[in-house]
Amino acid sequence: MKTVILSIFLLCTGAQAISLTEIIGASLAKNPSLESINERIQANKYNIKVSNQFENPQLLISKNTLDSSQAMSQSVVTLKQKIPFYNKRNTNKKIAEAEDALLSEKLHAAKTKLVEKIKNEAYIIWKLGELYRIIDDYVTLTKQNIDLYESYTSIDENRHMGIMKAELSLSDLQIQKSVLREKISAAYARLSYLAAFKVRHLDIALDIGKKPNLLHLQNSLNNNPDIRIKDKELLKQNAKVKMADLNNYPDINLIAGYAMRENFDNYFNVGVGLSLPIYGTEDYKEEEARSVLLSIASKKADTQIAVNATLESYYAQMLSSYEIYHIIQDEALPQVAHMFELSSSSISIGADLFKYIDVLFQKLDLEQKSIKAVANYNLAQAKIAQLKGEIQ
C-alpha cells in the first residue's frame, strides 16, 4: 500500500513543480540506500529472538561389538543439553538489542545525510536558477541600451567602440547562460538520483535568516548522529565485556542416557559435564573486549571534538554569508543603483557607453554575490541541521 501511494504521488508530481519538503518525504520513504539498512534491522530482529534461546540438545546413539551374552553388551541412547551459566542468555540478548539500537541510529544518521545532500542540490538549483534569471534580465537590458544608444547618438569611432564593448559583454552573458543551463541540468540529475525519482521542476525560495549564534548552535548538538552512534557502540561493547566476564564461569552440560541390553536389565545414566577454564583463554578475551571498549570511548571523544570543529566551520560560513549579504544590500547596491540611474539617463544624450557598461556589470556582480551569499548561508544551515540530527 505504501508503494502504491508513493507511485501515485510521483505520477501526480512528475509534470509540475514539487517542493523540497515533498522530495524529502518521498525520498525517506523509498530510497534504496535506506532500504538496505531497514533490511538489516529486520534481520537483526530475528537475531534478538534467538539470542536467549538454549542451544539445541544433542542426541547420541552408540552400540558396542560385544556378544549379547556379555553384560557389557549394550546399545546406549544419550541426551545432552547445555545449560548456560546464570545471566549469559540475558546478556547475549542485550548484545543483540544493542545491535538493534545501533542499526537504528545508523539508519537515522543515513537519513540526516540524505536530507542534507538533497537540500544541498536543491539550494544549488535555486542559486543557479537565480543567477540565470538575473543574467537573462541583464541580457535584455543590455540589448535595449545598445538599441537606445544607436538611436540617439551619432556613431563616431569612440561611440562605436562603446557599442562593441556592450556587444562583447552581451556575448559573455550569453556564454554564462549556457554554462548555467548545463549546471542546472546536472544539479537536477543529482537531485533525481538522491530523491530516487525524476525531478523536473523544483519549487523553492530562499532568503537570509537571522544572524547565527555559535553558543546556541553548540547547545543544539545533543542529538548529533555520529555521537549517538558512538554511544550505542559503547552500550553494545559494554554488554560484550560483561559476556566476556561471564565466560570465565563454565556452562553446565546435563547428560541423561538409557542403556539397553538383550540378556540383562536395562538401566539409566545421568551425569553433569562442564568445561574447565584453566588455560586463561577467557581472561585474554575479556581483556581484548575491555581494550575495544576503551578504543570506542576514545573515538567518541575524538568525534565530539570533530563535530564541534565542523560546526564552527559551518558557523563561520553562515556568519560570513550573512555579513556579505547585508553589506551588499544595505550599503553597496544603493550606491551602485544611484550610479546606474545617472549612467542610464545619460545614454540618451550620447554619454560614454563604456562607463554605463562598467556600472551595469558592477551591479550585476554585486547581485550575483548577493545570490551566492543567500545560497551559502542556507547550505551551511543545512549542514548544521545534519549535525543536529534533523531530517527535515
Side-chain angles (χ1 to χ4, degrees):
M1 186 64 183
K2 183 179 178 182
T3 304
V4 173
I5 294 174
L6 181 61
S7 300
I8 294 173
F9 167 77
L10 298 179
L11 183 64
C12 294
T13 57
Q16 62 185 22
I18 182 172
S19 71
L20 179 58
T21 301
E22 291 171 327
I23 292 175
I24 291 174
S27 181
L28 291 177
K30 201 62 181 177
N31 189 280
S33 63
L34 300 180
E35 284 295 310
S36 64
I37 303 178
N38 272 318
E39 292 301 326
R40 289 171 60 193
I41 291 175
Q42 291 304 314
N44 192 64
K45 299 294 184 185
Y46 298 103
N47 184 41
I48 294 175
K49 290 181 179 180
V50 303
S51 60
N52 66 341
Q53 298 280 359
F54 286 102
E55 289 187 14
N56 290 329
Q58 296 182 32
L59 180 65
L60 299 92
I61 300 176
S62 62
K63 180 176 175 60
N64 62 35
T65 58
L66 293 175
D67 187 85
S68 60
S69 62
Q70 299 293 321
M72 294 299 295
S73 175
Q74 59 185 356
S75 297
V76 182
V77 178
T78 304
L79 186 66
K80 183 179 178 182
Q81 176 64 61
K82 183 178 181 180
I83 306 297
F85 185 79
Y86 172 75
N87 209 30
K88 275 189 178 181
R89 288 192 303 143
N90 185 51
T91 303
N92 198 38
K93 184 177 181 180
K94 287 182 178 179
I95 293 174
E97 289 173 339
E99 175 66 15
D100 187 69
L102 176 59
L103 288 173
S104 296
E105 284 299 334
K106 288 183 176 180
L107 176 61
H108 181 76
K111 287 181 178 180
T112 64
K113 291 176 182 177
L114 177 62
V115 170
E116 185 274 323
K117 290 179 180 178
I118 289 174
K119 287 180 178 179
N120 185 76
E121 295 302 332
Y123 296 165
I124 288 175
I125 288 173
W126 176 86
K127 179 182 73 172
L128 296 174
E130 288 297 301
L131 291 175
Y132 187 92
R133 178 190 61 78
I134 196 172
I135 288 175
D136 195 48
D137 290 343
Y138 273 74
V139 166
T140 302
L141 184 60
T142 303
K143 287 180 179 179
Q144 291 174 348
N145 282 286
I146 289 173
D147 294 339
L148 183 64
Y149 194 75
E150 289 177 337
S151 300
Y152 284 90
T153 64
S154 59
I155 307 300
D156 57 27
E157 184 175 347
N158 289 334
R159 292 191 174 97
H160 183 66
M161 288 292 291
I163 293 174
M164 289 180 64
K165 179 179 180 180
E167 290 175 342
L168 286 173
S169 300
L170 186 61
S171 297
D172 180 66
L173 291 174
Q174 297 286 13
I175 292 172
Q176 290 184 50
K177 285 179 61 178
S178 178
V179 172
L180 287 171
R181 280 194 295 267
E182 181 273 328
K183 290 183 177 180
I184 290 171
S185 296
Y188 266 110
R190 294 192 299 268
L191 180 61
S192 297
Y193 164 72
L194 294 170
F197 64 91
K198 186 66 176 178
V199 180
R200 292 182 173 86
H201 306 289
L202 177 64
D203 181 16
I204 183 173
L206 298 180
D207 56 19
I208 285 282
K210 62 182 180 180
K211 187 175 182 179
N213 182 286
L214 181 58
L215 182 60
H216 175 74
L217 293 174
Q218 288 174 332
N219 292 334
S220 65
L221 293 180
N222 295 330
N223 291 321
N224 176 262
D226 293 331
I227 294 177
R228 288 177 64 89
I229 285 174
K230 292 302 177 185
D231 286 335
K232 295 301 183 291
E233 288 179 350
L234 283 171
L235 288 175
K236 180 181 176 181
Q237 191 59 32
N238 270 311
K240 285 187 173 183
V241 169
K242 186 175 182 180
M243 177 59 76
D245 177 58
L246 289 173
N247 283 337
N248 284 287
Y249 302 92
D251 300 324
I252 298 175
N253 289 290
L254 299 180
I255 304 169
Y258 185 70
M260 295 171 288
R261 299 184 293 182
E262 290 186 21
N263 299 315
F264 299 90
D265 292 336
N266 299 334
Y267 63 90
F268 284 99
N269 282 317
V270 293
V272 176
L274 52 87
S275 59
L276 300 177
I278 61 175
Y279 297 116
T281 302
E282 290 74 14
D283 290 333
Y284 292 136
K285 289 185 176 181
E286 183 180 352
E287 289 304 315
E288 178 189 8
R290 293 187 185 280
S291 296
V292 172
L293 180 64
L294 293 174
S295 173
I296 295 173
S298 297
K299 288 181 180 178
K300 179 187 175 182
D302 182 68
T303 300
Q304 290 175 322
I305 295 172
V307 167
N308 286 328
T310 303
L311 174 66
E312 291 181 10
S313 173
Y314 295 150
Y315 162 77
Q317 180 179 331
M318 278 187 74
L319 182 61
S320 175
S321 299
Y322 177 89
E323 292 173 347
I324 290 171
Y325 176 82
H326 282 284
I327 289 171
I328 292 172
Q329 294 294 327
D330 302 339
E331 301 175 19
L333 277 180
Q335 297 177 16
V336 174
H338 181 63
M339 294 170 60
F340 183 72
E341 289 174 1
L342 295 175
S343 299
S344 180
S345 62
S346 64
I347 290 295
S348 60
I349 57 174
D352 192 351
L353 189 58
F354 273 97
K355 294 179 180 179
Y356 170 79
I357 294 298
D358 286 340
V359 175
L360 181 67
F361 275 79
Q362 283 181 5
K363 185 171 184 288
L364 172 61
D365 181 63
L366 287 171
E367 290 178 340
Q368 288 176 323
K369 287 178 179 177
S370 178
I371 291 170
K372 291 175 182 177
V374 174
N376 290 336
Y377 178 95
N378 284 274
L379 286 168
Q381 192 174 51
K383 293 181 183 298
I384 291 175
Q386 189 274 322
L387 290 179
K388 293 162 61 177
E390 296 178 1
I391 56 174
Q392 287 297 332

